[in-house]
Amino acid sequence: MALECVAVLGWGDSGSRASGLVFNGVRNSNRTPRKCVCRGGFSGLSGDSVIKSADNQNTGKSSNVNDVPGKLCKDLISLPKPLTVADFTVTPNDGTKVRISFKGLPGSFSEDAALKAYPKCETVPCDEFEDTFKAVELWLADKAVLPIENSSSGSIHRNYDLLLRHRLHIVGEVQLAANFCLLALPGIKADQLKRVLSHPQALASSDIVLTQLGVARENVDDTASAAQYVASNGLRDAGAVASARAAEIYGLNILADRIQDEPDIITRFLVLARDPIIPRTDKLFKTSIVFTLDEGPGVLFKALAVFALREINLTKIESRPQRKRPLRVVDDSNTGTAKYFDYLFYIDFEASMADPRAQNALGHLQEFATFLRVLGCYPMDATL
Ligand SMILES: O=C(O)C(=O)Cc1ccccc1
C-alpha cells in the first residue's frame, strides 16, 4: 500500500506563497514510484541546488556538491527530487500507467474515450458513475472519464449533478464518434435475432436498422455489458449493439457495422482529477463553471452579458433544478406569493482562466451570482 502524501509546493521565489499551497499528490521520481512526503521550497532550484542547501543546513558551512564524500553523495541522491512541470503532465514519464476509472465493462465506449485520451492507460471499470468519482477520491484511480453530452440525445443530466456533488476538477475533454455494431454469437445470422440488448442511447441511435430487423429492444447499463451477457449466456436469439472492441473481447461476430441512424454521433466525455491543471494561453482552453442567480427580470441575461461584453464564446449552457432547494418562494405585495423552480446554471466558455478576459468575466459574474464554482479549465479536444 502506498504512503499517503502531503507535499508543500513552492511556486516562484516567494517563500510565503510557497508555504501557502498544500496539496495531496503523487510525486514521480526516477526511483520506484510511490506516493512520497516532500517538504521544502522547490522554487526554481535545480536538483544540485537542493542538495547543496540541505548540506548547508546540516553543517552550517558552505560546500560544493562535488566535494562531498561518496557515501554522503549517494544518500543525497536518494533524496526526493524537486517537482517540475513534468510532474503535472497527464502521463508519467517513468512508464507507470495512469489509471482511469469509467462506468461500464471493458469494451464500452467510455473505455474507448479513456483510451483515446490516454492510449497507455490502465482502465478501472466501475458499476456506477458515482463509483468513478469515488475511485479517484480514494486514490484507486488517477482520473475518471465521464460522458457529459451526446450529439443525438443531449446532456447526461445525472453527471452534471455529480460534478457538483463531488469536488473533482475537470482537466480535459474527449470527443468520441461511436461506431455502433450489431453483434451476435458466431454462426448466428441477423434474421435469427428476436431481441437486441444495449445501452438505451445506442438502441435509440440505431433505430432504423433495429426496426428493419423487427427485434425487441432491451436496455442494459452499457453496451459492453450487452455483449458480455449475450456471449456468457450463449444466447442464440439475442444480439447486442456495441463496439468492435467489445466483439473482440467477448468473442462475438460483427453482423453489421456503423448501424447508427446518423453517420456521426459524437459523445463528449470529461476527464476528472483530484487536482486542477495549470491554465495556459498557448493553446485553446475551455472553462466550465456552475452558478446560481437571484430571481428577477433579466438576471440570466446579465449573467450571459459578462461573457458577451468580453467577446468570450459560450459553447454550452445547461440548467438543472436545485435538488436541495427546488422551490423559491417570492412574495409580492401586488401579485401575491409565487413559487419558482430554483436553478443551477452550468456554462462552458472558450477561454482559459489564465486569460484576463475570463478572470474579469468571472469577477463580474461574482458580483451578482449567489454561488459560483469553477469546475475546471482544460484544453479543448480539437481532434474531430
Ligand atoms: O454503454 C457504453 O458503452 C457507454 O460507454 C455509454 C455510451 C453509450 C453510447 C454512446 C456513448 C457512450
Side-chain angles (χ1 to χ4, degrees), residues 246-318:
E248 202 182 312
I249 295 173
Y250 301 105
L252 296 178
N253 270 359
I254 301 177
L255 295 179
D257 134 325
R258 297 192 63 78
I259 64 165
Q260 56 265 34
D261 299 349
E262 293 132 41
D264 288 317
I265 296 184
I266 313 292
T267 306
R268 194 165 75 91
F269 293 83
L270 298 176
V271 184
L272 308 171
R274 287 178 294 273
D275 296 310
I277 53 170
I278 298 169
R280 288 164 35 180
T281 50
D282 57 347
K283 54 179 177 173
L284 286 176
F285 264 63
K286 211 184 233 184
T287 303
S288 298
I289 59 169
V290 52
F291 59 92
T292 52
L293 297 168
D294 263 333
E295 188 58 46
V299 278
L300 183 57
F301 176 83
K302 211 171 139 192
L304 299 182
V306 306
F307 302 101
L309 285 170
R310 294 165 181 92
E311 310 247 311
I312 297 176
N313 188 36
L314 304 185
T315 56
K316 177 86 200 275
I317 174 159
E318 182 69 50

Side-chain angles (χ1 to χ4, degrees), residues 21 97 118 122 140 149 163 212 231 341 347:
L21 185 66
K97 286 183 170 179
Y118 305 97
E122 185 184 310
L140 299 170
E149 63 175 328
L163 281 178
Q212 275 167 1
F341 266 32
I347 280 185

Side-chain angles (χ1 to χ4, degrees), residues 84-104:
T84 69
V85 167
D87 293 311
F88 300 98
T89 57
V90 287
T91 314
N93 53 11
D94 61 358
T96 8
K97 286 183 170 179
V98 177
R99 287 160 304 157
I100 313 278
S101 59
F102 68 98
K103 177 184 183 278

Side-chain angles (χ1 to χ4, degrees), residues 79-249:
L79 282 173
K81 289 225 159 44
L83 292 178
T84 69
V85 167
D87 293 311
F88 300 98
T89 57
V90 287
T91 314
N93 53 11
D94 61 358
T96 8
K97 286 183 170 179
V98 177
R99 287 160 304 157
I100 313 278
S101 59
F102 68 98
K103 177 184 183 278
L105 285 187
S108 71
F109 288 106
S110 296
E111 192 186 47
D112 278 350
L115 291 166
K116 182 178 174 192
Y118 305 97
K120 289 188 176 163
C121 75
E122 185 184 310
T123 51
V124 181
C126 296
D127 267 356
E128 300 294 339
F129 286 127
E130 181 129 39
D131 300 334
T132 67
F133 284 77
K134 286 186 183 154
V136 178
E137 287 160 352
L138 297 171
W139 292 76
L140 299 170
D142 302 302
K143 293 182 171 68
V145 162
L146 182 79
I148 197 75
E149 63 175 328
N150 189 286
S151 61
S152 69
S153 50
S155 295
I156 298 155
H157 294 129
R158 164 141 184 77
N159 289 345
Y160 275 95
D161 299 343
L162 288 172
L163 281 178
L164 190 69
R165 192 177 316 154
H166 291 264
R167 306 294 307 187
L168 296 183
H169 303 267
I170 307 173
V171 296
E173 67 172 359
V174 188
Q175 309 209 94
L176 189 84
N179 171 13
F180 295 127
C181 304
L182 180 64
L183 314 182
L185 285 176
I188 301 295
K189 297 214 171 65
D191 58 12
Q192 292 174 261
L193 300 179
K194 299 219 163 14
R195 53 191 178 126
V196 168
L197 288 70
S198 196
H199 184 278
Q201 203 254 302
L203 292 173
S205 302
S206 313
D207 186 55
I208 297 172
V209 168
L210 298 180
T211 305
Q212 275 167 1
L213 284 174
V215 290
R217 299 158 203 213
E218 290 181 21
N219 289 341
V220 291
D221 270 1
D222 67 282
T223 55
S225 303
Q228 193 258 3
Y229 188 78
V230 169
S232 61
N233 292 293
L235 301 178
R236 301 178 62 80
D237 67 341
V241 178
S243 68
R245 223 163 44 81
E248 202 182 312
I249 295 173

